[in-house]
Amino acid sequence: MNISQKLTLDEWDGRYEELRREGLREPSYGGPLRRHVDRDRDFRLQQLRFDNSPAALRLWNFLLTENERLHEARAKGYKLVGTMKDLGTVPVMAYSLPGVRAFYPDGAWWTPCLMECSDKLLQQAEAMGIDASFCPVRAMLPAFENGEHFPKPDLVICSTGAVCDDFSAIAQRLEHRGQSIFWWEIPRRRSPVSGETAIQLPGNLSAPEIQVACVRRELERVAKALGELAGKTLDDDALAAGIRVANKVRRLLNELRQTVYSAPAAPLPALEMLVAEMLVIHFCSDREETIAIYEDLLKEVLERVRRYQFVIPPQAVRVFWVNPVADLRAMNLLEELGGRICGSDYMFTHALDLVPEDLPPLEALARTALADPMVGSAFERAERIVRECSDNRAEAVVVSRIPGASHCAREGRTIMEIVRCKLGIPTIELEIPPVCDAMLPSLGSRLQALVETARARRTK
Amino acid sequence: MIYAGIDAGSRSIKAVLFDAGRSQILASGLIDQGVEQERLANELFEKLLKDAGLDRSQISGVAATGYGRNAIRFASTAITEITCHARGIHHLAPDARTVIEIGGQDSKVISLEEGGRVRDFAMNDRCAAGTGRFLEMVATRLSMDWEKLGEIARLSKKPAIISNMCVVFAETEIIGLLADGKPLADVVAGVQNSIATRVSALAGRVVSSPIYFTGGVALQNGMVRALEEVLGMPVRVAPRPQFTGALGAALSVKPTAKTVNGGL
């Protein structure tokens, strides 16, 4: 078995030149990773360890050039839709229309991490009345105004209702500052009661018909607004075609996850997997390129598994990770301390499930939207986590929290208690801020303790 | 074989020499923590060797634990306090099912299975309110030794309620209580209760008996009482609780060909 070394940014400089000499073919957004530090001040890259493959290079370059891509799209006459809070459903609709690109302005919550707070977005948000007691999503407030991180969208679509309190407050502040927002409501998912017709949702969930109908009506309004923006009706045929492509993306990601998480050792690092998984909800503003990137990554991973070449030793402890981290460095840290990711729930598991293709498109999308883990109970989310931990032979669970993110205030403990009760494996909850350098020793201690505990439990 | 365990904590460094063949502690000692912790640990190690009449070549391995474990380069292994406190307490009290350790900068609750294996654990290291740091702050504020606080707490008739969740704000609250004429003993007992409450919250709903209390804070009068009150269960203090982590480290050493001389 070969274990590949992960690369620092400095090492990637040399690796990039080597790949170029070997005839590396890159897309238009290609280039050395270093330029994102020099030009865009993405300083955090200097602290990360990367996979050494051209496929990973393409993934990173794609992620870090979204702003340019959006500006180019606008220059070409595309309409830009900012979709917020809903994770994965509205983009499927937007990309069903020609000449429309969707992106997540609330994705600006990663900017303070990438730029190591040199962007000052969090401080500016505080000056706008949204302080550190709120989720780092507050970074989008000044980003909307300064235009440095994404172009101002032509239409902003935001879900409301069963969303976290702090997000709701931030989005309302945005509206009060003059940004027009198209709101659509999603109710908190509940189980059908006696006398109600139960509708099956993706992810082994169910909801009463009345809730599905409510969401479907809301999505009809969204479809109308998108159609008006595009100057073309978003009809069932276009939506069905969009769903088929979205499902192609989801199938590819699921195959990638399955291959990576079930391999005897990790063929792709946790960090690149996290970034890859995030693409499924927004396509990083280019759906076709997302497909190409997944195909590249999958090819690389399958080849590595075939050659028995991995990035983490096989004895690494199999960790199931819940929630995305505010500081990407944490994903490296787990691997440095002897763990590997064997499964994940980054809060958008409904975007991993296929949108039903045998239903009227809006009905299918309504059911998918209602399967969002964040609109249901923590218990239902925990049940899926338990199932996936079992399927993926997880030895430990990490529930990471983002400071101020109120949707997970109690959820972490619920998930941990249910995992402990049903699986009896060790769990920890970690609070990871956008830049966790000062906390690295204590984060490291916790993760190391988790790895030690899980490893000790291998011996009977 | 003789093994050494070093627990480089935030407040002090503890060390133990352990004879695995006789299952016996040969020497143990403690030194205040400082900037040059490797040098301090080495000095302590040398002292213990001298006390036990040994030299380095007779030590089959050294393991380090505690927040400074990675700085002790002459140790062959660095292991977390979770593992070490679990191993240490299992050696001393095999019936232990829960370990509570309140350290200078963090606190831990460790759940053990029969056989001493860690079932699960929880750590608080973001907030000083549930750690020994809170007691240190009070001792500094009152200009008295940390150890003296326990004696004062014993005199309390009605512990004060410290409502602040944050040590920084709690300090202001304590000053206010004292200024209002609240008896010192009641304030100190209130601080102990506050720490115990934090630790209890950390432990969650599942705490199995017997519970053992390890770490230096276990030696302070009143802390056991405070924990017993909030947990509603008896809490036993580990023998020489400040050395449990170091003992666990010594018990965790895997014999290697490398002698400790090689690392110095």
Side-chain angles (χ1 to χ4, degrees):
Chain A
M1 179 179 293
N2 295 319
I3 304 296
S4 303
Q5 288 296 309
K6 282 183 277 178
L7 304 181
T8 62
L9 190 68
D10 287 346
E11 288 163 342
W12 245 114
D13 292 340
R15 171 76 174 141
Y16 183 73
E17 289 310 317
E18 181 188 302
L19 287 171
R20 274 175 62 94
R21 282 195 298 275
E22 290 170 4
L24 174 71
R25 294 178 64 183
E26 291 189 277
S28 58
Y29 54 82
L33 282 181
R34 167 79 54 194
R35 77 188 195 284
H36 302 295
V37 177
D38 297 342
R39 190 190 63 188
D40 305 326
R41 296 184 295 146
D42 289 338
F43 299 126
R44 200 62 181 157
L45 301 184
Q46 298 174 113
Q47 308 301 325
L48 302 179
R49 300 288 181 277
F50 306 90
D51 184 73
N52 65 5
S53 65
L57 175 69
R58 185 176 183 178
L59 171 72
W60 280 105
N61 276 331
F62 185 54
L63 174 77
L64 299 170
T65 53
E66 189 179 22
N67 191 18
E68 292 164 50
R69 193 156 45 253
L70 288 167
H71 280 286
E72 283 168 16
R74 166 156 290 160
K76 288 177 186 168
Y78 280 79
K79 297 291 184 187
L80 303 183
V81 178
T83 73
M84 301 201 303
K85 198 55 212 171
D86 139 66
L87 297 174
T89 303
V90 173
V92 175
M93 301 171 73
Y95 281 93
S96 299
L97 283 162
V100 176
R101 292 282 170 102
F103 72 103
Y104 276 91
D106 39 348
W109 72 277
W110 259 357
T111 305
C113 166
L114 280 170
M115 298 181 71
E116 292 191 337
C117 297
S118 63
D119 49 282
K120 309 283 183 205
L121 288 176
L122 297 179
Q123 294 95 318
Q124 289 165 16
E126 188 152 358
M128 294 175 176
I130 303 288
D131 65 18
S133 56
F134 290 83
C135 174
V137 163
R138 67 190 189 277
M140 78 175 179
L141 266 185
F144 257 99
E145 300 198 3
N146 68 27
E148 290 174 13
H149 305 280
F150 51 79
K152 203 169 169 61
D154 298 298
L155 172 65
V156 175
I157 298 175
C158 183
S159 59
T160 183
V163 298
C164 41
D165 299 339
D166 49 344
F167 183 86
S168 179
I170 295 164
Q172 287 177 68
R173 180 59 56 92
L174 182 66
E175 188 178 43
H176 292 158
R177 292 182 70 87
Q179 174 63 53
S180 169
I181 296 179
F182 182 95
W183 300 96
W184 66 281
E185 186 170 349
I186 185 147
R188 179 173 164 77
R189 184 179 66 240
R190 62 173 175 81
S191 298
V193 294
S194 173
E196 284 186 318
T197 304
I199 300 291
Q200 197 65 33
L201 308 179
N204 287 331
L205 299 166
S206 67
E209 189 176 28
I210 190 172
Q211 284 199 320
V212 178
C214 164
V215 176
R216 191 178 59 237
R217 281 193 299 274
E218 286 297 277
L219 291 182
E220 281 168 8
R221 288 201 307 115
V222 173
K224 188 164 178 284
L226 285 168
E228 285 168 2
L229 178 74
K232 186 178 186 306
T233 305
L234 182 50
D235 59 23
D236 278 0
D237 287 345
L239 265 177
I243 287 172
R244 281 195 295 277
V245 183
N247 280 344
K248 181 178 181 183
V249 175
R250 292 177 186 203
R251 280 192 193 93
L252 278 167
L253 176 60
N254 284 331
E255 193 180 347
L256 181 67
R257 293 175 88 240
Q258 173 68 20
T259 308
V260 171
Y261 296 153
S262 67
L268 199 65
L271 179 56
E272 277 75 10
M273 278 304 291
L274 169 65
V275 172
E277 292 202 29
M278 300 297 277
L279 297 190
V280 80
I281 54 173
H282 51 55
F283 314 130
C284 214
S285 66
D286 189 336
R287 191 178 55 179
E288 301 311 315
E289 192 61 22
T290 297
I291 290 172
I293 282 169
Y294 280 165
E295 286 171 342
D296 248 19
L297 286 169
L298 190 57
K299 189 176 161 197
E300 178 71 33
V301 161
L302 288 169
E303 180 60 17
R304 285 180 178 182
V305 172
R306 191 187 66 75
R307 290 196 315 247
Y308 231 55
Q309 182 196 334
F310 300 106
V311 292
I312 307 292
Q315 63 270 27
V317 165
R318 300 175 63 84
V319 174
F320 191 96
W321 197 287
V322 179
N323 296 333
V325 290
D327 187 344
L328 298 170
R329 178 79 182 81
M331 305 313 285
N332 284 160
L333 189 63
L334 172 75
E335 293 179 338
E336 287 161 16
L337 294 169
R340 69 170 278 205
I341 299 286
C342 73
S344 60
D345 174 339
Y346 293 135
M347 300 200 302
F348 50 80
T349 47
H350 63 305
L352 303 175
D353 296 325
L354 299 184
V355 184
E357 292 184 28
D358 56 350
L359 295 171
L362 279 176
E363 170 74 15
L365 287 168
R367 293 187 189 189
T368 303
L370 257 180
D372 183 337
M374 287 197 289
V375 307
S377 71
F379 179 79
E380 283 182 331
R381 191 175 177 206
E383 287 210 310
R384 180 172 180 144
I385 289 167
V386 165
R387 272 200 312 275
E388 294 197 4
C389 282
S390 284
D391 292 347
N392 296 344
R393 296 175 290 115
E395 298 174 280
V397 173
V398 171
V399 179
S400 73
R401 278 195 296 122
I402 296 168
S406 65
H407 71 267
C408 48
R410 195 179 163 278
E411 190 177 56
R413 179 155 282 198
T414 303
I415 291 169
M416 292 201 308
E417 284 182 4
I418 292 172
V419 167
R420 276 183 195 133
C421 174
K422 296 203 171 180
L423 299 177
I425 56 177
T427 61
I428 50 167
E429 190 171 22
L430 300 176
E431 187 172 82
I432 301 174
V435 178
C436 70
D437 291 356
M439 292 175 57
L440 273 179
S442 78
L443 281 177
S445 271
R446 286 171 181 225
L447 285 171
Q448 190 181 348
L450 185 77
V451 166
E452 281 176 5
T453 301
R455 192 165 278 150
R457 293 174 63 81
R458 286 176 177 172
T459 52
K460 296 289 178 194
Chain B
M1 286 190 182
I2 300 168
Y3 299 115
I6 295 173
D7 179 357
S10 63
R11 192 169 182 271
S12 61
I13 301 173
K14 288 77 67 176
V16 162
L17 297 182
F18 183 75
D19 185 333
R22 288 189 289 164
S23 192
Q24 185 184 342
I25 293 174
L26 301 178
S28 60
L30 178 151
I31 190 169
D32 280 349
Q33 184 58 278
V35 178
E36 296 177 83
Q37 55 180 325
E38 187 177 28
R39 180 183 61 75
L40 293 168
N42 193 37
E43 278 177 19
L44 178 62
F45 184 38
E46 288 287 354
K47 180 179 178 303
L48 295 197
L49 287 171
K50 193 175 168 191
D51 290 350
L54 298 167
D55 63 52
R56 282 174 182 259
S57 64
Q58 293 171 276
I59 304 300
S60 300
V62 182
T65 187
Y67 99 102
R69 63 188 177 279
N70 293 315
I72 313 299
R73 285 170 294 178
F74 62 86
S76 53
T77 320
I79 308 163
T80 64
E81 302 101 293
I82 299 292
T83 300
C84 290
H85 279 267
R87 291 204 177 136
I89 202 69
H90 181 66
H91 177 81
L92 297 165
D95 64 333
R97 291 294 170 272
T98 302
V99 182
I100 292 174
E101 196 262 342
I102 301 178
Q105 74 172 20
D106 65 16
S107 48
K108 310 162 196 81
V109 178
I110 308 167
S111 168
L112 300 179
E113 294 175 349
E114 197 176 332
R117 196 166 68 164
V118 176
R119 182 196 303 274
D120 213 342
F121 64 90
M123 290 173 77
N124 160 32
D125 56 7
R126 292 299 311 278
C127 170
T131 72
R133 181 80 193 98
F134 198 177
L135 291 168
E136 278 186 37
M137 181 277 287
V138 174
T140 304
R141 169 60 57 188
L142 301 176
S143 304
M144 65 173 61
D145 288 342
W146 181 86
E147 292 79 5
K148 183 96 175 155
L149 288 180
E151 292 170 29
I152 291 170
R154 288 174 65 188
L155 306 173
S156 172
K157 299 263 189 307
K158 189 182 174 197
I161 293 171
I162 310 293
S163 55
N164 265 300
M165 303 282 280
C166 165
V167 165
V168 178
F169 291 120
E171 183 174 9
T172 311
E173 191 175 342
I174 288 165
I175 293 166
L177 287 168
L178 292 171
D180 283 350
K182 192 84 177 165
L184 182 58
D186 290 347
V187 172
V188 175
V191 168
Q192 290 182 333
N193 287 351
S194 175
I195 293 171
T197 303
R198 296 285 171 280
V199 173
S200 160
L202 191 65
R205 290 174 222 163
V206 189
V207 177
S208 304
S209 203
I211 303 167
Y212 279 83
F213 191 6
T214 66
V217 175
L219 291 171
Q220 188 174 81
N221 276 322
M223 274 310 305
V224 172
R225 169 205 55 79
L227 280 171
E228 286 179 331
E229 277 179 15
V230 294
L231 293 169
M233 292 178 174
V235 173
R236 303 173 189 172
V237 175
R240 305 182 74 213
Q242 68 274 44
F243 293 108
T244 315
L247 172 63
L251 289 164
S252 303
V253 178
K254 291 191 176 69
T256 60
K258 177 186 168 191
T259 68
V260 291
N261 283 320
L264 291 175

